[in-house]
Amino acid sequence: MASYKLMVKDVIKQADILLEVVDARFPDETRNLEVERDVKRSGKPLIIVLSKCDLVSKETLQKAKSRLSKVAPTVFVSSKERYGTTMLRHKILEIADIQGRNILIGSLGYPNTGKSSVINGVAGKNKAGTSSISGHTKGVQIVKAGSRIVFIDTPGVIPFGDNDEYRQGLLGVKDATHLNDPIGVAMKIIAHICDNNKSVLEEFYNIEIKENNPEKVLELIGLKGNCLKKGGEVDEMRIAIKIINDWQRGKMLI
């Protein structure tokens, strides 16, 4: 824990602008308020990047952007669809008030939020090879992203807490078979989707949700998918693993 805090402190100190990369499907769960406070105290600009926006409906995306823009300038990016990276580059150049040298961008975020993909998307064909920054913590790399922009890439810089299994399941850091409580994680995924747009679950699993009760929805999905034990009881573990896999593989657009 201490080493990650030192790394974050070092990146904030070295960078001209900080990016916080969050997953567009659940931006609030993948923000780190402590890091945001550290950036604010430094007086340096922060840009929030909503990654994986191809997995979110335009309506959901706009709501998230509108809310987060009150915290910091917000840009959405899909590395898969090659969308938003030009906008991010323009936003960096717009915010930076630097002449005569490269702009150093620190990239921060939880594992699997898409930090490296965002960097690669901005770098595009002009991407240079990575190299260690002399004197910096092991694992921190620099990536040249064409004219004037240089990224500090910090893979997995923000660790998960001991009780962050839900977030690890959401982000796909752990697959379903390596989670201690797949049923609990699946029900939290169900609750998250129902809170945003329950029709996603209804259409994907061909069910009708009359009550936003994760346990009952899990059972509905199990019955519809014929995930049953002997005697006709829903096999909660098997259907929970399927739901987590469907979510982690980006099959559901919320």
Side-chain angles (χ1 to χ4, degrees), residues 59 74 142 154:
E59 182 182 1
T74 302
I142 59 170
T154 55

Side-chain angles (χ1 to χ4, degrees), residues 184-203:
V185 172
M187 286 198 288
K188 287 187 176 181
I189 289 172
I190 289 169
H192 175 79
I193 297 174
C194 284
D195 287 344
N196 286 275
N197 185 3
K198 71 177 183 179
S199 65
V200 170
L201 290 172
E202 291 178 322
E203 293 172 10

Side-chain angles (χ1 to χ4, degrees), residues 170-230:
L170 278 177
L171 286 168
V173 174
K174 284 186 177 180
D175 65 36
T177 59
H178 289 89
L179 294 168
N180 293 321
D181 182 18
I183 295 171
V185 172
M187 286 198 288
K188 287 187 176 181
I189 289 172
I190 289 169
H192 175 79
I193 297 174
C194 284
D195 287 344
N196 286 275
N197 185 3
K198 71 177 183 179
S199 65
V200 170
L201 290 172
E202 291 178 322
E203 293 172 10
F204 188 79
Y205 292 110
N206 193 24
I207 59 173
E208 182 182 359
I209 299 173
K210 295 181 179 179
E211 183 181 351
N212 286 0
N213 181 314
E215 189 173 354
K216 290 183 178 180
V217 174
L218 182 78
E219 186 175 3
L220 271 176
I221 296 171
L223 288 169
K224 190 67 179 182
N226 201 32
C227 284
L228 306 175
K229 298 178 181 178
K230 289 182 179 179

Side-chain angles (χ1 to χ4, degrees), residues 11 30 72 89 116 133 197 203 214 229 244-245 254:
V11 170
T30 49
R89 173 182 283 275
S116 294
I133 301 177
N197 185 3
E203 293 172 10
K229 298 178 181 178
I244 294 168
N245 287 339
I254 64 172

Side-chain angles (χ1 to χ4, degrees), residues 12 19 24 39 58 76 102 120-121 125 131 145 180 198 216 225 231:
I12 292 173
L19 301 186
V39 174
K58 289 183 179 179
F76 38 79
N102 287 334
N120 291 340
K125 293 181 180 179
S131 60
N180 293 321
K198 71 177 183 179
K216 290 183 178 180

Side-chain angles (χ1 to χ4, degrees), residues 15-17 43-45 47 90-105 148:
D16 299 306
I17 297 174
K44 294 185 177 181
I47 299 173
H90 287 325
K91 181 62 68 175
I92 289 169
L93 294 172
E94 174 190 322
I95 290 175
D97 185 19
I98 296 169
Q99 303 296 328
R101 66 171 177 84
N102 287 334
I103 304 164
L104 197 56
I105 310 298
R148 298 201 62 208

Side-chain angles (χ1 to χ4, degrees), residues 47-70:
I47 299 173
I48 296 176
V49 180
L50 289 162
S51 71
K52 306 181 185 181
C53 69
D54 53 289
L55 299 177
V56 180
S57 68
K58 289 183 179 179
E59 182 182 1
T60 301
L61 195 60
Q62 287 296 345
K63 286 180 180 178
K65 183 180 179 182
S66 177
R67 187 175 71 256
L68 293 176
S69 291
K70 297 174 183 177

